[in-house]
Amino acid sequence: MGGILFSQSKTTAKPRTDHAGQFKKISDEILLNSNAYDNLRELVKGIGPRFSSTPAYDKAVAWAERKFAENGGENIRKEDVKVPIWRRGRESVQMKTGNGSWKTIPALALGGSEGTGGKDLTGEVLFAKDLAEFNKLQNRDVKDKIVFFNFAFDQTVINPAETYLVAGKYRWSAPSAASRKGAKAVITRSPTSAFDDVPHTGSMYYDPLDKNKIPALSIGALSADKLEELAKKEKVMLKINTTSGTTGDMINHNVIAEIPGKKSKSVIVVGAHLDSWDISEGAHDNGAGVVQVLEVLRVFKKLDYQNNHTIRFVLFANEENGVSGGETYAANVKKSGERHIFAIESDAGGYSPRGISLDMIPQRRRLVFAWKPLFLPYGVYDFTQETSGQDIAPLKKLAVPLAELVPDMQRYFDIHHTSLDTFDKVNRRELNLGAVAIAQMVYMVDQNW
């Protein structure tokens, strides 16, 4: 009897899926035959900066449609997205102490900032160490001043993304905080880990109740430290002249392609944002993510992978100055009732992958933790972080499990949102390894969820 039962258990046992073998196939194909690096060169050198609402962004959309087709995507389409029309124009910041002459400081207007209308705006600098110190000031102390925050990266924090979130709030919220107390303008230190004088741009926000939308600009670390040093000792004047401003809205597009599911219409999203800042090639942010999305599509088609669920590849519009592409996509998913089981984004640079961040309920996180031994041979070990990309974040309201590729970010914020974010900063092998990790994760979700 025992022999009979043993025999039956052997013949009815379900064959074990060779996940490790599939991981190796994905990795070998990408490392040997990837066209991600060439695609990145085409995008950032052939088109260059791809800011929302510009003709260059439209060129990027046409490029993406063509690349989706070349890599085997199906159901290729565009999704209408309303985006703001913001233009930087020209900008300058000059500094003077006592009877000295005006000296130019490298500066960039923050995205969405109103300007000075091309006229000089002159005022005395009011230095505040941080928002806590600023909030203690009376309106009479701030009125008609140019408020300056020199909040630096905390160099003791090992994960630079964590300190960026803290330092970045000055770029985002300082303009309205200063405006409410009567300031003329606000200057912030660039949220960077570098010790250079390169200014970083990025989005800022005006409170809807702001009656006076004051100019907001960012300066580099060296200029910021010098300005703080002077402001603590003597009266410092700044002269600002900018022509930035917003002039309405227009339609841009998300670009979408798919590999239809063989067993289910439920959707797995692989995403990145297609736009970049107007002053940047956007090679790491987020050209790297764009070409990794294309590469995941290519490798699945090349290996003739028979996916269970529909794998949808989405290149989002307007992440840099509004996240309208992500919000629009999520709103359309909610309206259609279409079931999404997972979404992963690449928007942290094309450096070597070190992990995958998991923004999902604990039960789902535990399922992914069990896959960690499969990823370890590829240098991917960190599954502890709990954030997701900006574009897929709106899907969280629909209870979709979210994830984001976590590269080694130690150099990322040196060039983030600057003119230094160029093609030559991206390493081909590191870029490809990121695509490997994303494809492997998508494969595991498709097989097991």
Side-chain angles (χ1 to χ4, degrees):
M1 179 68 72
I4 294 173
L5 290 174
F6 182 74
S7 174
Q8 287 178 334
S9 66
K10 284 183 68 176
T11 57
T12 59
K14 197 174 181 180
R16 185 175 180 180
T17 304
D18 182 15
H19 293 321
Q22 190 67 25
F23 268 43
K24 185 71 164 62
K25 288 180 181 178
I26 289 170
S27 178
D28 287 354
E29 171 58 32
I30 291 177
L31 293 179
L32 289 171
N33 301 312
S34 168
N35 57 21
Y37 196 64
D38 292 335
N39 283 337
L40 182 63
R41 181 189 290 108
E42 282 186 29
L43 178 63
V44 305
K45 290 297 185 184
I47 298 175
R50 308 167 297 283
F51 192 60
S52 295
S53 77
T54 66
Y57 184 79
D58 293 335
K59 290 180 182 178
V61 167
W63 177 89
E65 289 180 288
R66 185 173 74 255
K67 289 298 176 180
F68 272 148
E70 289 176 3
N71 288 345
E74 302 176 46
N75 303 327
I76 299 170
R77 59 194 184 274
K78 297 187 293 186
E79 184 174 52
D80 288 356
V81 178
K82 187 168 75 170
V83 304
I85 303 171
W86 181 80
R87 294 292 180 268
R88 176 177 305 280
R90 65 181 187 274
E91 60 218 341
S92 71
V93 175
Q94 295 177 292
M95 176 183 69
K96 185 177 74 167
T97 57
N99 295 320
S101 58
W102 290 103
K103 297 180 180 179
T104 298
I105 300 175
L108 286 174
L110 296 177
S113 172
E114 293 300 315
T116 67
K119 299 177 181 179
D120 289 340
L121 183 155
T122 304
E124 181 182 351
V125 171
L126 173 64
F127 167 71
K129 180 178 67 174
D130 53 31
L131 282 167
E133 180 180 284
F134 176 78
N135 289 336
K136 295 177 183 178
L137 297 175
Q138 300 297 313
N139 288 11
R140 63 177 179 271
D141 301 320
V142 179
K143 185 173 175 57
D144 292 331
K145 300 290 198 317
I146 296 177
V147 179
F148 165 54
F149 292 98
N150 187 25
F151 191 90
F153 249 52
D154 185 346
Q155 298 291 341
T156 67
V157 177
I158 303 304
N159 181 358
E162 293 179 9
T163 192
Y164 174 77
L165 291 176
V166 176
K169 71 180 181 182
Y170 285 82
R171 185 192 76 204
W172 180 252
S173 61
S176 284
S179 174
R180 285 193 292 270
K181 292 193 174 186
K184 283 185 172 182
V186 67
I187 302 287
T188 58
R189 179 194 182 107
S190 293
T192 176
S193 52
F195 293 92
D196 59 23
D197 212 25
V198 178
H200 297 226
T201 190
S203 288
M204 52 76 63
Y205 172 77
Y206 288 121
D207 188 294
L209 299 178
D210 283 349
K211 294 180 180 180
N212 181 29
K213 296 180 178 180
I214 63 175
L217 299 96
S218 182
I219 60 177
L222 294 181
S223 287
D225 286 342
K226 181 64 174 178
L227 183 55
E228 176 182 343
E229 178 186 348
L230 291 171
K232 285 180 174 179
K233 296 189 302 184
E234 57 187 309
K235 180 177 179 180
V236 181
M237 301 295 292
L238 288 182
K239 181 163 60 177
I240 299 171
N241 191 311
T242 65
T243 60
S244 59
T246 301
T247 57
D249 303 302
M250 68 177 294
I251 297 298
N252 277 177
H253 298 94
N254 294 335
V255 190
I256 301 171
E258 294 175 343
I259 306 176
K262 306 303 184 289
K263 296 181 180 180
S264 170
K265 292 183 179 180
S266 297
V267 175
I268 296 170
V269 167
V270 185
H273 68 84
L274 185 56
D275 61 316
S276 75
W277 277 104
D278 56 319
I279 46 85
S280 175
E281 288 182 6
H284 276 289
D285 184 20
N286 189 28
V290 168
V291 300
Q292 286 170 339
V293 169
L294 291 169
E295 185 60 21
V296 175
L297 167 60
R298 188 197 70 81
V299 74
F300 284 149
K301 296 296 289 188
K302 178 70 175 181
L303 296 177
D304 194 26
Y305 174 60
Q306 300 299 299
N307 47 297
N308 296 319
H309 308 86
T310 292
I311 304 176
R312 180 173 296 162
F313 305 88
V314 185
L315 300 179
F316 294 95
N318 184 236
E319 189 272 348
E320 297 293 12
N321 65 320
V323 198
S324 296
E327 293 286 358
T328 298
Y329 181 82
N332 288 338
V333 169
K334 182 178 180 180
K335 184 177 179 180
S336 69
E338 187 177 49
R339 182 170 180 256
H340 281 50
I341 65 168
F342 181 72
I344 185 169
E345 182 166 3
S346 176
D347 184 19
Y351 299 104
S352 294
R354 292 291 176 254
I356 295 174
S357 181
L358 307 172
D359 186 1
M360 56 189 69
I361 61 175
Q363 295 92 322
R364 287 290 183 188
R365 290 174 60 81
R366 286 195 290 270
L367 290 174
V368 178
F369 289 162
W371 305 338
K372 184 175 177 178
L374 290 165
F375 287 92
L376 287 177
Y378 302 90
V380 176
Y381 58 84
D382 183 3
F383 294 86
T384 63
Q385 298 184 46
E386 300 183 26
T387 59
S388 64
Q390 288 291 315
D391 298 292
I392 60 174
L395 290 170
K396 188 172 184 177
K397 291 178 283 189
L398 305 180
V400 179
L402 307 178
E404 183 176 20
L405 181 68
V406 179
D408 185 332
M409 300 181 72
Q410 297 304 327
R411 292 175 288 165
Y412 183 63
F413 293 105
D414 290 4
I415 62 174
H416 183 242
H417 294 176
T418 76
S419 59
L420 301 181
D421 184 6
T422 50
F423 177 72
D424 59 291
K425 306 298 193 308
V426 180
N427 176 273
R428 184 184 188 278
R429 185 171 177 82
E430 291 181 339
L431 179 70
N432 286 334
L433 285 169
V436 168
I438 297 169
Q440 290 169 338
M441 177 58 78
V442 170
Y443 160 78
M444 288 300 290
V445 171
D446 182 58
Q447 287 286 304
N448 295 284
W449 287 14

